[in-house]
Amino acid sequence: MREELRVAAYAICVRDGELLLARGRDDDGIPEWTLPGGGMDHGEDPFDTVVREVEEGTGYVFEATDLLGVHSFRCAVPRRLGVTADHHALRLVYEGRIVGGELRPEVNGSTDFAAWHPLDAVTGLNRVGLVDIGLALWRQRPAVGRIAK
């Protein structure tokens, strides 16, 4: 089995009781909401990754203020030619605020829309699990930077 490691950085940005989310599509093309963020480029600091990814996906200039925590998980992922990969995702979740820019959709990226959602309405959205993980880190602020399993 081939091993893969993907390191990514994501943002929790809450303003006036609303959470900033980006909309992508699942494997079947169904729209789903996620935290703004994405994969780290080789040699890039994850702090710089989250700033770059938020701007790419939303148009906003993001100022990271806290590292909320890290989420790590593994899963088997089918790849081409019948190969299965042991995929390990390492996701750093930062809290921060918008300090500039204007909301706009991502151009030629993995998301197609970004929007603010009332915190109490997030559970009703079709969303990836990372949204709930990020919100749990934001609400609980665990000293070890990890949600108990």
Side-chain angles (χ1 to χ4, degrees):
M1 187 177 292
R2 188 176 84 193
E3 294 178 347
E4 298 176 345
L5 173 64
R6 181 174 189 266
V7 181
Y10 294 90
I12 288 283
C13 186
V14 176
R15 180 176 75 185
D16 299 326
E18 294 186 320
L19 176 66
L20 180 62
L21 295 174
R23 187 181 66 193
R25 303 221 175 247
D26 69 11
D27 293 337
D28 295 322
I30 297 170
E32 59 187 0
W33 293 97
T34 189
L35 297 178
M40 187 172 77
D41 293 336
H42 182 78
E44 185 176 35
D45 186 284
F47 186 89
D48 298 327
T49 300
V50 73
V51 171
R52 174 182 56 78
E53 286 284 345
V54 170
E55 192 281 325
E56 287 177 5
T58 70
Y60 284 132
V61 177
F62 178 75
E63 178 183 51
T65 56
D66 289 296
L67 175 62
L68 294 174
V70 177
H71 180 251
S72 175
F73 78 95
R74 290 173 61 190
C75 62
V77 177
R79 297 296 186 216
R80 292 182 296 190
L81 306 173
V83 173
T84 300
D86 176 7
H87 181 81
H88 180 190
L90 185 65
R91 306 184 294 190
L92 292 86
V93 181
Y94 290 89
E95 178 180 24
R97 60 182 166 257
I98 302 305
V99 295
E102 291 185 23
L103 185 63
R104 55 126 177 94
E106 183 173 15
V107 178
N108 298 322
S110 59
T111 62
D112 65 357
F113 189 68
W116 293 93
H117 296 273
L119 281 169
D120 60 1
V122 170
T123 57
L125 298 173
N126 185 35
R127 64 198 183 283
V128 300
L130 179 61
V131 173
D132 295 333
I133 291 162
L135 282 172
L137 286 167
W138 179 70
R139 288 182 175 118
Q140 296 174 24
R141 299 186 181 273
V144 296
R146 178 177 175 217
I147 300 299
K149 293 182 179 185

